[in-house]
Amino acid sequence: MDTTLAVRKPGAVLGDRLEVSTSELSRRLVDGAAAPVLLVTGTPYAPGLDAVTGDLLWQAGVREVRIRETVRADDGLLHFLRFLREAASHDIEVVWESAGDLGCDTRLLYHLPPRAGDPSWRSAYRYGLCHYRVGPGFVTVTDQRRGPAVPFTLRNPQEIGLVQDLDRPGPSDESSAFAGLLRSGLIISNGRDALCLPYRLRRWPIPCTVI
Amino acid sequence: MRICLVSMPWHLLETPCLPIGLLRARVDACRDPHTVVDYYGNLRWAEYLLDVSGGQIAEAEYSYVADRGVWHEMGEWIFAGALYDDPAWRVDTYRAYLEARNLDPGASLRMREHAAGFVDLAAREILEERPDLVGFTTTFQQNVSSLAVARRIKQLRPDVQVVFGGGNCDGPMGAALHRNFPFVDHVVSGEGELAFVALLDALSEGRAPAGVPGLVTRGPDGESVAGPPAAMVPIDMVPRPDFTAWWSAYGDGRFAERLSPVLLYEASRGCWWGEKHHCTFCGLNGTTMKFRAKPATRVWDDITHLVETHGVLDIVTVDNILDVAYLAELMPRIQESGWDLRIRYEVKANLKPDQLAALRDAGVTHIQPGIESLNSRALRLMDKGVHGTQNVFLLRASDEYQLTVDWNYLYGFPDERAGDYRPVIEQIPAMVHLQPPSGSVRVLIERFSPHFQSRERGFAERRPSRMYQHVYDLPESELEDLAYQFEAPPQGIDEDVASDLRAAIAAWRHDHAASTLTWRETEDGLVIDEGRAGRPRCEYVLSDPAQARSYRLMERPRTIAALARELAAEGFAMSEETLRRWVGELRGAGLVFEDDDRVVALATNRRPLRVAEVG
Ligand code: B12
Ligand code: SF4
């Protein structure tokens, strides 16, 4: 055996980056044909993106996703936010840009990977900033988007149902549970559809006591 | 009888009081029915401080005294003025002690001004419950506030029976407490499940409780009379703790909106390792080392009950050591629940990868593996039963399995040598990407530890720690029995080596957040990404399959000879000398850790998810 240790400049490995379109992304992840850095082309809310979960990205060893197309405040936005939330749930970096205003209070999104050129968002972002944990008959929510705060507990089955159902964009409704979650910023709505904003905490950071 | 169970400062604000939860449940085993109320003097004191200081003295100031002050009897000093009716009690001694050690007093000086007022208030609030008997639980810094309130209760209502119990009453400490503080009627020394019931039965039948095992009580002339030593409590007599009264006190109080609650749970008592090899510095388990564990099904039922009742997913277990059987019997059951628990557990450091995975999958996110050192010889002197490389393996694997590790680097063991530290100090810069110890300290001498029990072990000239001087008005001969912590002239390495170790660890803590070292398989072979502080970014490329395979085998600690054999078995025959040269090359780049002829890889298989502490 050769006993000398070869050393080279970083970033020279072939296959570290992979260009992939939104529509193919989930299939590539399932096939295990991914790379640490993904350059994603195509519209950022094509159905392909809807099938991507945080677990899938994580298991495929993805560290960073770069979205080529500019994100707009239109009907697809909730789908894109869902994707961001999934990436955030495993602390996977997402590089993305938006064209102008997102049409919502961006402070509600501070727990998601910050968009380019938004220093307040970048400095507020931290893993676990807004997440929930599931227990028997209750859900514990930690929401520090507006600053330090202690966790609170949801026990109302309708609220818990909404948190689960709106894991993907789904119809807004007239219930008081819906109105309550909307008021507290745990769901976001475009008038027709809505999405649950906190992610379920799947991976504990080190140290696990800081979030 | 009406019984009031009391938990005084400095019990933590966010946790229930486990002994009260257990004893309250045990009262059902008494012959006569009794009414039990709880009094959380710790919460009341913290609220009192908030009020009198206009919010200036809050939970952070309280925690400072509880967590940091515990090493210096800060909390005890705060209440000592009230115990001795002297606001100026040992103020100068305390200040001198802090100054000599360059310690920040926190809010302790301001807190002391309010202690006497609070003691009076607490005694009156307890008496409003019309108790026949008041039981104080005392561990850590709960002695003096409890004594002060007990004394005030006796002044106001001499007929109320006062009982003490808890970690501070174990062995001779309980007898010393009883002897020196005449307003304490009874002390339960050791486990309370049997003794407390026997005491209550005797009192409610009008019998003198003298002779109850584990109890110190008063004879006809007020003298101390000790019963025979307590029998060990069988584990099925340890009930499921009842935290309902704490939960309402906490919920109604002002800290529920400022802190997040953590449940406590005890699945086992004693230590299965210590039964065979008592770690030489360890004072855990006072008088009963015998390991006893609840069956996994009971633990599961208890945890389910507690989580469902309180809606809390954070649990700290107080076991000294994880029962290995739980890995197969309990952890999978917890995992199946699908609940997002966060559990802290003390474990033995020799866990294997599948065992770490079982813990993580069950929601054990935080472990205390008793690492203590990274050198095999020092670990042998402690009778720890692990190698230095096993400890480094555990640190690396904890990052891979996303487990938070609590540990401390201990030194100052008799017979240790500079040579047990220098090679570790030299290798620490290579380990900065792994979880650092919280610090490095000269080992303290704790009561019940082998270091304490036999003076031949090298700490012959020990005496009670200096910190007791600013608390108690007692001669050294009494402190000898009352104290838990002792000091002696330093043993083992000298200050030169010790300060180098501390400096290396301080640098480790400083550099950790910015450091990673990860490997991945690529088309070019095994590539290790250099991302440690203080080293230029680069990639090490192990393109020769024998190189790559050897590194993967070093993921588990191995001797060079064993490694050579395994490589040969896989078709990578090479001489031990070649292998040594290769390992030397890896060590030069800080990619492996070596100790006692064993080697272990340092690069992790993926970057850990870290969050920086805020503030
Ligand atoms: C879990 C634990 C911790 C946890 C605490 C978690 C928590 N939030 O409570 C952590 C890791 C934070 C911790 C830290 C420390 N700990 Co610690 N810890 C323990 C441990 C392992 C278990 C404690 C426990 O809950 N036991 C279970 C309960 C039910 O037992 P118990 O309180 O003794 O109660 C029984 C009897 O005493 C009696 N009883 C109790 N009260 C009463 C009252 C009455 C009226 C009656 C009749 C009977 C009675 O009945 C009960 C049931 O049998 C003990 C060792 C041990 N095996 O006990 C050390 C121990 C309590 N810790 C100790 C020490 C010194 C520390 C540290 C200073 C650092 C260190 N050396 O480890 C820090 C300080 C922490 C602080 N901020 O104050 C010493 C305490 C010495 C003393 N005299 O106070 C102990 C005894 C052993 C040791 N060497 O570590 N610790
Ligand atoms: S240090 Fe831990 S493993 Fe060692 S005897 Fe004490 S409790 Fe047991």
Side-chain angles (χ1 to χ4, degrees):
Chain A
M1 175 178 73
D2 180 4
T3 60
T4 47
L5 178 64
V7 184
R8 68 180 181 201
K9 286 211 188 99
V13 182
L14 284 172
D16 252 9
R17 285 152 195 240
L18 182 78
E19 196 169 287
V20 55
S21 69
T22 35
S23 51
E24 294 172 64
L25 182 58
S26 74
R27 191 174 48 77
R28 296 296 282 269
L29 292 170
V30 173
D31 292 349
V37 179
L38 296 179
L39 311 172
V40 176
T41 57
T43 152
Y45 32 76
L49 219 50
D50 270 357
V52 175
T53 62
D55 283 345
L56 206 52
L57 287 164
W58 167 250
Q59 276 149 19
V62 176
R63 285 210 312 258
E64 186 183 318
V65 181
R66 298 187 194 165
I67 305 291
R68 282 283 169 76
E69 240 177 66
T70 304
V71 173
R72 279 164 223 289
D74 58 19
D75 286 357
L77 184 63
L78 290 184
H79 295 266
F80 180 69
L81 292 179
R82 191 208 68 90
F83 168 76
L84 280 184
R85 190 197 62 203
E86 291 300 303
S89 73
H90 285 67
D91 201 37
I92 290 159
E93 208 172 314
V94 181
V95 181
W96 63 284
E97 271 178 25
S98 75
D101 195 14
L102 285 174
C104 64
D105 180 357
T106 48
R107 284 172 303 178
L108 289 178
L109 310 178
Y110 276 4
H111 62 302
L112 304 178
R115 67 174 164 193
D118 193 331
S120 341
W121 190 338
R122 177 150 299 276
S123 70
Y125 174 79
R126 186 162 65 94
Y127 181 73
L129 201 64
C130 180
H131 67 265
Y132 69 90
R133 293 160 64 193
V134 174
F138 65 91
V139 160
T140 303
V141 182
T142 300
D143 183 0
Q144 305 197 321
R145 288 172 296 182
R146 298 173 193 85
V150 299
F152 57 92
T153 308
L154 301 180
R155 286 191 179 271
N156 175 345
Q158 276 171 313
E159 289 179 338
I160 296 173
L162 281 168
V163 166
Q164 283 160 351
D165 295 345
L166 295 178
D167 188 54
R168 285 166 194 287
S172 299
D173 69 42
E174 302 289 305
S175 69
S176 63
F178 186 94
L181 292 179
L182 193 65
R183 233 186 350 263
S184 53
L186 295 182
I187 57 183
I188 189 169
S189 166
N190 60 13
R192 200 184 61 214
D193 286 331
L195 177 74
C196 175
L197 282 174
Y199 44 83
R200 183 168 175 189
L201 195 86
R202 288 318 214 149
R203 293 182 59 220
W204 284 95
I206 294 174
C208 64
T209 44
V210 292
I211 63 171
Chain B
M1 285 195 291
R2 275 183 75 80
I3 299 162
C4 183
L5 295 176
V6 180
S7 177
M8 289 300 290
W10 297 86
H11 182 71
L12 303 181
L13 299 175
E14 63 271 30
T15 63
C17 174
L18 186 55
I20 291 186
L22 295 176
L23 294 174
R24 146 182 271 292
R26 275 297 288 170
V27 167
D28 293 342
C30 289
R31 246 170 261 148
D32 299 320
H34 304 293
T35 307
V36 184
V37 290
D38 300 1
Y39 182 77
Y40 292 95
N42 60 330
L43 293 171
R44 293 292 292 128
W45 166 238
E47 288 170 347
Y48 186 83
L49 287 175
L50 269 184
D51 288 341
V52 294
S53 70
Q56 293 296 302
I57 307 180
E59 60 275 17
E61 287 70 26
Y62 183 102
S63 303
Y64 178 79
V65 175
D67 293 332
R68 305 289 228 82
V70 68
W71 305 102
H72 309 288
E73 295 270 286
M74 256 184 199
E76 299 291 51
W77 174 83
I78 289 169
F79 282 98
L83 174 62
Y84 293 118
D85 275 339
D86 175 4
W89 178 254
R90 307 264 162 109
V91 172
D92 295 338
T93 324
Y94 178 66
R95 283 183 188 274
Y97 174 96
L98 296 182
E99 266 161 40
R101 288 160 187 77
N102 206 4
L103 289 166
D104 177 356
S108 60
L109 296 157
R110 274 181 295 152
M111 287 173 173
R112 154 107 26 135
E113 294 165 21
H114 305 295
F118 174 72
V119 163
D120 185 60
L121 175 81
R124 289 176 193 280
E125 287 184 347
I126 291 168
L127 290 177
E128 275 167 25
E129 302 289 349
R130 310 244 134 254
D132 302 300
L133 178 146
V134 180
F136 290 87
T137 180
T138 169
T139 311
F140 305 133
Q141 311 178 77
Q142 286 177 297
N143 261 0
V144 181
S145 56
S146 300
L147 287 168
V149 170
R151 178 169 161 268
R152 189 75 190 112
I153 287 176
K154 281 293 207 184
Q155 287 169 347
L156 295 166
R157 284 263 314 272
D159 56 311
V160 171
Q161 298 279 303
V162 167
V163 192
F164 271 54
N168 289 338
C169 301
D170 231 356
M173 298 183 286
L177 210 72
H178 192 260
R179 205 161 57 231
N180 288 294
F181 299 97
F183 44 84
V184 177
D185 298 304
H186 320 277
V187 169
V188 168
S189 206
E191 294 171 285
E193 281 80 359
L194 297 168
F196 191 48
V197 171
L199 169 68
L200 294 180
D201 282 351
L203 293 177
S204 65
E205 285 166 18
R207 279 187 285 123
V212 165
L215 187 78
V216 191
T217 182
R218 304 235 167 248
D221 303 318
E223 74 282 12
S224 270
V225 186
M232 190 183 68
V233 171
I235 199 73
D236 30 282
M237 275 192 196
V238 177
R240 168 185 297 169
D242 173 357
F243 294 145
T244 45
W246 171 76
W247 187 247
S248 33
Y250 178 78
D252 295 345
R254 302 235 290 283
F255 289 93
E257 57 201 38
R258 306 169 76 112
L259 296 168
S260 71
V262 178
L263 298 176
L264 295 180
Y265 185 69
E266 183 187 39
S268 69
R269 284 192 182 163
C271 170
W272 52 261
W273 175 256
E275 276 183 77
K276 293 173 283 186
H277 301 266
H278 194 164
C279 302
T280 60
F281 58 86
C282 163
L284 263 64
N285 313 312
T287 34
T288 36
M289 186 63 90
K290 177 87 188 104
F291 188 68
R292 295 147 283 164
K294 290 185 179 178
T297 47
R298 251 190 84 199
V299 178
W300 170 245
D301 289 347
D302 288 352
I303 290 182
T304 310
H305 176 85
L306 292 172
V307 170
E308 280 174 349
T309 310
H310 304 297
V312 171
L313 292 163
D314 292 333
I315 302 173
V316 166
T317 64
V318 302
D319 302 22
N320 301 301
I321 191 163
L322 172 79
D323 183 354
V324 184
Y326 290 167
L327 288 165
E329 294 165 14
L330 176 64
M331 298 306 158
R333 188 69 201 82
I334 301 182
Q335 186 193 347
E336 268 170 42
S337 73
W339 306 337
D340 302 328
L341 294 165
R342 170 166 53 181
I343 304 174
R344 184 185 188 285
Y345 227 120
E346 294 196 21
V347 299
K348 183 135 168 58
N350 60 357
L351 290 172
K352 299 189 180 57
D354 57 323
Q355 299 177 319
L356 293 169
L359 290 175
R360 184 220 27 216
D361 293 343
V364 177
T365 60
H366 194 174
I367 55 174
Q368 184 181 326
I371 289 181
E372 332 294 5
S373 175
L374 303 179
N375 172 271
S376 296
R377 189 169 173 277
L379 289 161
R380 264 196 301 278
L381 291 175
M382 302 176 206
D383 220 350
K384 263 281 156 193
V386 287
H387 291 286
T389 45
Q390 268 173 304
N391 280 342
V392 172
F393 161 78
L394 186 80
L395 287 178
R396 200 202 68 229
S398 295
D399 265 20
E400 297 176 338
Y401 290 95
Q402 209 67 37
L403 297 167
T404 300
V405 179
D406 272 352
W407 71 290
N408 232 313
Y409 208 114
L410 297 182
Y411 60 86
F413 295 86
D415 297 328
E416 69 184 12
R417 303 187 287 242
D420 304 333
Y421 291 84
R422 291 283 176 212
V424 175
I425 295 171
E426 181 235 313
Q427 294 183 84
I428 281 177
M431 292 189 276
V432 288
H433 60 295
L434 303 180
Q435 294 175 58
S438 53
S440 177
V441 288
R442 205 168 264 286
V443 64
L444 295 168
I445 307 164
E446 295 183 345
R447 184 182 293 283
F448 305 120
S449 66
H451 280 162
F452 176 89
Q453 303 289 42
S454 48
R455 290 184 190 256
E456 319 73 86
R457 282 186 183 261
F459 295 105
E461 292 164 57
R462 62 138 206 261
R463 51 190 296 183
S465 285
R466 178 135 327 202
M467 62 185 185
Y468 298 107
Q469 296 297 336
H470 52 250
V471 178
Y472 294 103
D473 184 16
L474 292 173
E476 179 136 333
S477 57
E478 286 301 320
L479 285 178
E480 181 71 37
D481 281 346
L482 189 87
Y484 182 77
Q485 231 137 58
F486 292 78
E487 57 196 28
Q491 297 288 321
I493 54 169
D494 59 27
E495 256 319 285
D496 271 359
V497 184
S499 67
D500 287 352
L501 177 68
R502 288 195 303 266
I505 284 172
W508 185 347
R509 294 179 58 77
H510 178 265
D511 289 342
H512 175 64
S515 295
T516 56
L517 181 72
T518 52
W519 64 264
R520 68 214 144 96
E521 307 267 14
T522 72
E523 289 160 15
D524 302 347
L526 188 105
V527 171
I528 302 173
D529 272 305
E530 176 62 84
R532 286 170 291 184
R535 291 172 199 250
R537 300 293 306 262
C538 69
E539 288 173 351
Y540 306 98
V541 189
L542 282 56
S543 47
D544 177 339
Q547 289 186 336
R549 187 61 197 144
S550 70
Y551 197 74
R552 294 297 312 271
L553 285 173
M554 283 182 251
E555 280 182 74
R556 300 294 304 278
R558 278 169 163 80
T559 61
I560 304 288
L563 191 58
R565 275 196 307 277
E566 278 168 274
L567 282 166
E570 295 191 18
F572 299 111
M574 70 187 79
S575 70
E576 234 181 272
E577 196 203 320
T578 311
L579 190 57
R580 269 183 210 286
R581 217 171 325 121
W582 168 235
V583 169
E585 182 89 355
L586 291 171
R587 174 154 168 192
L591 300 180
V592 295
F593 172 81
E594 278 191 286
D595 172 65
D596 200 22
D597 203 40
R598 285 180 172 76
V599 60
V600 64
L602 287 176
T604 58
N605 62 9
R606 60 194 329 164
R607 51 173 61 223
L609 201 177
R610 294 196 193 125
V611 176
E613 314 244 359
V614 272

